[in-house]
Amino acid sequence: MKDVDIDAFVKKEDITVEYFFEKAKEKFNIKLLTNALGMERKIIEQNLHRPGLALAGFVDLFSYKRVQICGNTEYKYLSQLSHEQRINSLEKLFKFELPCIILTDSNKPTSEMIELAEKFGIPVFGTDYPTTKLTYLVSDFLDDQFAPTYSIHGSFVDVYGVGMLFTGSSGIGKSEVALDLVERGHRLVADDVVILTKKGERILMGSGTNLVKHFMEIRGIGILDIRSMFGVRAIRYQKRLEIIIELEHWNKEHEYTRTGLENKTVKVGDVEIPYVRLPILPGKNITVVSEVLALNYLLKHYGFDAAKVLKKNLATKLKDQSSHIDRVIDDFEHDFE
Amino acid sequence: MIEKKVKIINDAGLHTRPAATIVKLAAKFNSDFFIIRDGLSINGKSIIGVMTLAAEKGSELLLQFDGSDEEEAMETIVDYFERGFDEM
């Protein structure tokens, strides 16, 4: 498998305020305080902004394109102004093309604020969440909305808690391996179309699409629904991508891993993912090999690397010049079973 | 690699029957075949993939072919799209 450049990932350009409100109203307990005006305005970035300085009149470098969060500071500042001063101050803010404003901590908007917001067509929301908590939650939500995504062809399974993506050419048996793993008690995340979402710098989350969910095609049978067939224990919606396994027909030109001392990786959107190339051979049970790969990954994660341990044992033995090949047990103690 | 934009012209859109036909047509060729919608690229040789597109009437898709018989593959598949999946 070739590295996947981050440029191949796609990102949402914008979301509308209406979409944001629809998704966020229950999550963050947000209510619309103005008429439903300006709901078609666009949010184009995940960062938020506190408009304190803009209200005070300093609008150089004002990040007006961001969602504006009015906390207690902004609210206190506005309430100590006279009616005219307040209109003046708010107009400075509203003449920018803001996507929307959120009032935190159950602060009630002043009448001037509602009037001006409706005049300029900028939606104002209110929430009882404190500013810090709301900022954290909204940033996280928007970060998710604007996260780069990439669709990849393969089967994605949670094997003993390790997110394994099976890739390889059409018809090589990715779905069959996934089905086999499900039968052995592992959980299917997605088959065929896997959407990878980059979270932070080092994490790729994989999930299916909302239409297909846990449907799967097995050649010769047709379309199956894993959830209906194996129950809810056999599926999950999301999993971090931890190993990519590429299935291929045995190719004598290719070198396959023997010791496992060198860890091969493939870069997917700048994230290094451990990568294994598995040849399909008669007598090779890919499902069992995959389970063992997952267990070995876990062992390494918890600090035991079999290849390194054997390498060390060999080095110790080599230093001890007089040593020769010994049985693991030197006395059978009359146990001839 | 060659590519072409196509539009869905039949009323029912790209539903199960044409999706199955597309993957069967594509499977006859050695070339890789991808369909791209809204930046999402799916393998055109997989039925689940093609159904994932949920391409309704009027939607535009980008077809990508890559391989030794790409010209022939493109001709066959684009023709099927242009015939409105034989539902016109």
Side-chain angles (χ1 to χ4, degrees), chain A residues 8 10 151-153 170 191-193 195 209 211-212 215-217 219 223, chain B residues 16 34 38-43 45-54:
Chain A
V10 287
S151 64
I152 194 162
H153 182 60
S170 255
D191 188 58
D192 228 278
V193 182
I195 309 274
T209 58
L211 172 73
V212 172
F215 284 88
M216 175 188 269
E217 184 215 358
R219 280 188 186 73
I223 290 168
Chain B
T16 311
F34 292 98
D38 305 332
L40 187 100
S41 162
I42 65 95
N43 190 323
K45 290 187 177 182
S46 118
I47 178 88
I48 298 268
V50 177
M51 287 165 80
T52 303
L53 294 167

Side-chain angles (χ1 to χ4, degrees), chain A residues 159-217:
Chain A
V159 184
Y160 297 126
V162 180
M164 292 187 136
L165 177 69
F166 295 89
T167 64
S169 51
S170 255
I172 195 136
K174 301 177 290 290
S175 299
E176 285 76 2
V177 171
L179 186 63
D180 214 5
L181 284 165
V182 164
E183 178 67 41
R184 294 169 71 102
H186 303 291
R187 299 162 76 189
L188 178 74
V189 186
D191 188 58
D192 228 278
V193 182
V194 182
I195 309 274
L196 298 176
T197 305
K198 191 172 176 188
K199 293 292 286 174
E201 287 308 302
R202 301 196 312 138
I203 294 174
L204 286 173
M205 292 300 295
S207 58
T209 58
N210 59 359
L211 172 73
V212 172
K213 292 197 181 90
H214 300 96
F215 284 88
M216 175 188 269
E217 184 215 358

Side-chain angles (χ1 to χ4, degrees), chain A residues 169-170, chain B residues 24-34 43 45 65-74 77:
Chain A
S169 51
S170 255
Chain B
K24 276 183 200 157
L25 288 175
K28 290 183 185 148
F29 300 97
N30 292 322
S31 300
D32 287 333
F33 169 41
F34 292 98
N43 190 323
K45 290 187 177 182
F65 302 86
D66 191 10
S68 52
D69 50 5
E70 56 188 28
E71 293 284 349
E72 209 186 327
M74 183 161 96
I77 289 164

Side-chain angles (χ1 to χ4, degrees), chain A residues 106-269:
Chain A
S106 309
N107 285 320
K108 294 280 167 291
T110 59
S111 54
E112 300 94 338
M113 190 180 235
I114 296 296
E115 269 168 39
L116 284 169
E118 287 177 352
K119 183 177 152 204
F120 287 92
I122 295 172
V124 176
F125 302 106
T127 176
D128 48 3
Y129 281 33
T131 311
T132 324
K133 191 173 175 190
L134 184 90
T135 308
Y136 169 73
L137 292 170
V138 174
S139 300
D140 189 55
F141 171 79
L142 291 178
D143 190 56
D144 220 64
Q145 289 295 318
F146 292 114
T149 61
Y150 179 72
S151 64
I152 194 162
H153 182 60
S155 297
F156 193 34
V157 188
D158 169 349
V159 184
Y160 297 126
V162 180
M164 292 187 136
L165 177 69
F166 295 89
T167 64
S169 51
S170 255
I172 195 136
K174 301 177 290 290
S175 299
E176 285 76 2
V177 171
L179 186 63
D180 214 5
L181 284 165
V182 164
E183 178 67 41
R184 294 169 71 102
H186 303 291
R187 299 162 76 189
L188 178 74
V189 186
D191 188 58
D192 228 278
V193 182
V194 182
I195 309 274
L196 298 176
T197 305
K198 191 172 176 188
K199 293 292 286 174
E201 287 308 302
R202 301 196 312 138
I203 294 174
L204 286 173
M205 292 300 295
S207 58
T209 58
N210 59 359
L211 172 73
V212 172
K213 292 197 181 90
H214 300 96
F215 284 88
M216 175 188 269
E217 184 215 358
I218 297 286
R219 280 188 186 73
I221 304 177
I223 290 168
L224 308 173
D225 180 22
I226 297 305
R227 182 174 174 166
S228 312
M229 195 172 270
F230 295 93
V232 76
R233 65 151 182 94
I235 57 144
R236 61 180 297 171
Y237 280 137
Q238 57 178 63
K239 181 74 193 88
R240 178 176 175 175
L241 174 61
E242 285 157 304
I243 304 180
I244 294 178
I245 298 174
E246 183 167 10
L247 305 179
E248 63 176 22
H249 294 294
W250 169 260
N251 183 340
K252 65 172 189 246
E253 305 296 317
H254 282 170
E255 255 185 41
Y256 297 100
T257 302
R258 301 301 297 266
T259 60
L261 284 169
E262 68 287 350
N263 292 314
K264 283 215 176 85
T265 58
V266 62
K267 263 192 178 180
V268 182

